[in-house]
């Protein structure tokens, strides 16, 4: 008996998978006759109709109007993503194209700009890329350059390719020997450490210098601490908003609430999810807390060097989405972006 129940469940799952695939591909409600013709389900049209009735009763599909066809509900897409969809891998030419496009970037801003454009082109959805989080980055190098009698340029370079520059007006002339000593001490203690940890590692440095040099050292360190504390990870980049116009009929009334939501940076960051959660996340329809995005799905994943995520990227589109292809593209782009940051 248990075997019969399992077989029945598998058959309904096969019918649901076929409905999702056909609806995503054709944009038309799917009828039992079309399912039997297009898919090798191995059962009669009457059996398929019964299975569709059961799926509808369980809330996985619904009839949008009086046509005989059915379309998936958010619950149906959820089951499809969780149980039925296999992430579609990028082909070798696609992977080469991704690598070639991202490899041409000249700095972090260019890397992020190329990534978001590429993701929008690959998925034909709206792409969102969060800049690498400073709080999750580590120090690669801190440079101090004398520019004049009382002026020093401070350059902070992180492991994610982020470069922060600050001009420091010092209380007096800065000797090259003092600057070299400070540069060496700062880098010895700070390189490889997380940015939020660094102030605690450097706060006692002024005491290691001659009394006459301490005001200058304190001023330079204060500027460095300001650069470390700035929460620049709240920066994101968006591309492909125009792609939404192709899906006008996928949104209940108008795409206006979606466009308004996309203008809210805080909303987008919340959509991408916590940076610490690096795994693939798919939020469908009303799983998105923001009401204006209840007719969309969001596919996001963390990127970074090694196993650690420093930020997230993803795409936003209608719930009638090619989930396997979108998930594959998002995962591939995140992987290459992580490699490029690790190599930079």
């Amino acid at each position: 008996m248990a075997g019969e129940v399992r077989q029945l469940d598998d058959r309904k799952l096969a019918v649901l998978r076929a409905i999702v695939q056909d609806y995503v591909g054709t944009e038309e409600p799917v009828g039992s006759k079309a399912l039997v013709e297009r898919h090798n389900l191995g059962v009669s049209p009457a059996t398929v109709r019964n299975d569709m009735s059961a799926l509808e009763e369980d809330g996985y599909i619904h009839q949008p109007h009086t046509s005989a066809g059915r379309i998936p509900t958010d619950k149906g897409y959820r089951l499809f993503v969780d149980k039925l969809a296999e992430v579609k891998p990028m082909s070798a030419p696609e992977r080469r194209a991704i690598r070639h496009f991202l490899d041409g970037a000249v700095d972090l801003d260019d890397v992020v700009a190329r990534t978001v454009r590429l993701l929008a082109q690959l998925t034909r959805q709206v792409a969102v890329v969060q800049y690498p989080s400073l709080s999750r980055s580590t120090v690669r190098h801190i440079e101090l350059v004398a520019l004049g009698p009382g002026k020093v340029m401070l350059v902070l370079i992180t492991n994610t390719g982020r470069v922060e520059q600050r001009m420091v007006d010092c209380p007096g002339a800065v000797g090259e020997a003092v600057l070299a000593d400070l540069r060496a001490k700062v880098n010895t203690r700070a390189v490889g450490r997380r940015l939020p940890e660094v102030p605690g590692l450097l706060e006692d440095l002024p005491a290691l210098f001659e009394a006459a040099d301490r005001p200058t050292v304190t001023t330079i360190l204060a500027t460095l601490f300001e650069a470390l504390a700035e929460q620049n990870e709240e920066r994101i980049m968006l591309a492909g908003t125009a792609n939404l116009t192709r899906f006008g009929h996928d949104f209940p009334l108008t795409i206006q609430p979606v466009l308004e939501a996309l203008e809210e940076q805080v909303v987008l960051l919340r959509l991408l999810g916590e940076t610490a959660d690096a795994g693939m996340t798919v939020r469908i329809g009303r799983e998105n807390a923001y009401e204006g995005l209840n007719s969309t799905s969001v596919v996001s994943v963390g990127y970074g060097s090694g196993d650690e995520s420093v930020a997230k990227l993803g795409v936003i589109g209608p719930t009638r989405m090619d989930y396997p292809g979108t998930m594959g593209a998002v995962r591939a782009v995140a992987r290459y972006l992580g490699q490029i940051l690790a190599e930079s």
Side-chain angles (χ1 to χ4, degrees), residues 299-321:
V299 178
S300 62
V301 72
Y303 71 85
S305 50
D307 295 330
E308 187 160 33
S309 169
V310 294
K312 300 199 90 169
L313 57 78
V315 298
I316 302 162
T319 53
R320 187 186 60 79
M321 177 187 287

Side-chain angles (χ1 to χ4, degrees), residues 90-111:
M90 298 271 97
S91 66
E94 285 172 326
R95 291 199 304 271
R96 281 197 298 273
I98 293 171
R99 182 82 205 196
H100 178 71
F101 187 69
L102 295 184
D103 269 350
V106 295
D107 57 23
L108 182 65
D109 285 331
D110 195 17
V111 168

Side-chain angles (χ1 to χ4, degrees), residues 66-129:
T66 51
S67 76
R70 305 293 191 278
I71 68 174
T73 61
D74 287 359
K75 183 180 176 183
Y77 283 126
R78 180 80 266 166
L79 186 63
F80 175 78
V81 168
D82 289 346
K83 283 195 182 287
L84 304 174
E86 292 184 1
V87 176
K88 182 186 170 194
M90 298 271 97
S91 66
E94 285 172 326
R95 291 199 304 271
R96 281 197 298 273
I98 293 171
R99 182 82 205 196
H100 178 71
F101 187 69
L102 295 184
D103 269 350
V106 295
D107 57 23
L108 182 65
D109 285 331
D110 195 17
V111 168
V112 173
R114 284 169 179 256
T115 300
V116 77
R117 286 206 315 273
L118 175 67
L119 201 50
Q121 289 166 11
L122 286 173
T123 62
R124 302 180 74 201
Q125 316 276 8
V126 181
V128 188
V129 178

Side-chain angles (χ1 to χ4, degrees), residues 134 139-144 152-158 164-169 182-183 185-187 189-191 195-203 205 216-230:
L134 279 182
V139 173
R140 179 175 287 168
H141 183 69
I142 295 167
E143 188 55 65
L144 301 172
V152 171
M153 183 171 70
L154 183 151
V155 184
L156 166 66
I157 305 170
T158 73
E164 297 286 320
Q165 293 187 26
R166 297 285 187 282
M167 296 301 300
V168 187
D169 288 316
L182 179 59
R183 185 190 302 119
K185 284 182 166 65
V186 163
N187 280 288
R189 296 189 183 193
V191 169
L195 270 59
E197 301 171 1
V198 172
L201 300 170
L202 304 182
E203 60 188 359
L205 282 185
T216 293
V217 171
T218 301
T219 302
I220 292 171
L221 288 177
T223 304
L224 173 60
F225 295 165
E226 279 176 26
L228 291 166
E230 281 194 4

Side-chain angles (χ1 to χ4, degrees), residues 30-309:
V30 184
S32 57
K33 187 169 179 285
L35 284 181
V36 172
E37 288 172 356
R38 290 184 195 137
H39 300 270
N40 183 24
L41 295 171
V43 292
S44 69
T47 302
V48 172
R49 278 195 296 275
N50 288 338
D51 286 344
M52 289 176 75
S53 295
L55 287 167
E56 187 168 14
E57 201 172 306
D58 289 342
Y60 293 110
I61 58 175
H62 75 104
Q63 197 170 17
H65 30 71
T66 51
S67 76
R70 305 293 191 278
I71 68 174
T73 61
D74 287 359
K75 183 180 176 183
Y77 283 126
R78 180 80 266 166
L79 186 63
F80 175 78
V81 168
D82 289 346
K83 283 195 182 287
L84 304 174
E86 292 184 1
V87 176
K88 182 186 170 194
M90 298 271 97
S91 66
E94 285 172 326
R95 291 199 304 271
R96 281 197 298 273
I98 293 171
R99 182 82 205 196
H100 178 71
F101 187 69
L102 295 184
D103 269 350
V106 295
D107 57 23
L108 182 65
D109 285 331
D110 195 17
V111 168
V112 173
R114 284 169 179 256
T115 300
V116 77
R117 286 206 315 273
L118 175 67
L119 201 50
Q121 289 166 11
L122 286 173
T123 62
R124 302 180 74 201
Q125 316 276 8
V126 181
V128 188
V129 178
Q130 181 185 11
Y131 271 76
S133 159
L134 279 182
S135 64
R136 298 181 68 80
S137 302
T138 60
V139 173
R140 179 175 287 168
H141 183 69
I142 295 167
E143 188 55 65
L144 301 172
V145 182
L147 297 180
K151 277 196 180 299
V152 171
M153 183 171 70
L154 183 151
V155 184
L156 166 66
I157 305 170
T158 73
N159 66 318
T160 51
R162 199 78 169 257
V163 179
E164 297 286 320
Q165 293 187 26
R166 297 285 187 282
M167 296 301 300
V168 187
D169 288 316
C170 300
V174 187
E176 184 52 51
V178 171
L179 204 60
D181 191 17
L182 179 59
R183 185 190 302 119
K185 284 182 166 65
V186 163
N187 280 288
T188 297
R189 296 189 183 193
V191 169
R193 305 303 289 261
R194 286 273 186 92
L195 270 59
E197 301 171 1
V198 172
L201 300 170
L202 304 182
E203 60 188 359
D204 67 333
L205 282 185
L208 303 180
F209 288 80
E210 297 291 334
D213 298 320
R214 282 175 200 161
T216 293
V217 171
T218 301
T219 302
I220 292 171
L221 288 177
T223 304
L224 173 60
F225 295 165
E226 279 176 26
L228 291 166
E230 281 194 4
Q231 296 302 302
N232 287 336
E233 63 262 36
E234 298 303 303
R235 285 177 67 194
I236 54 176
M237 199 173 281
L238 192 72
T241 307
N243 285 333
L244 287 178
T245 58
R246 296 187 301 113
F247 302 110
H249 53 283
D250 281 306
F251 300 105
L253 300 170
T254 168
I255 65 170
Q256 196 59 37
V258 180
L259 296 175
E260 287 171 1
L262 295 179
E263 290 177 3
E264 297 286 338
Q265 189 149 308
V266 174
V267 170
L268 291 177
L269 286 164
R270 203 172 294 146
L271 274 182
L272 290 177
E274 292 296 319
T275 301
D277 177 18
M280 179 80 68
T281 304
V282 181
R283 290 197 185 86
I284 298 167
R286 295 187 180 279
E287 294 171 1
N288 293 308
Y290 191 85
E291 191 178 344
L293 294 170
N294 283 170
S295 58
T296 67
S297 287
V298 181
V299 178
S300 62
V301 72
Y303 71 85
S305 50
D307 295 330
E308 187 160 33
S309 169

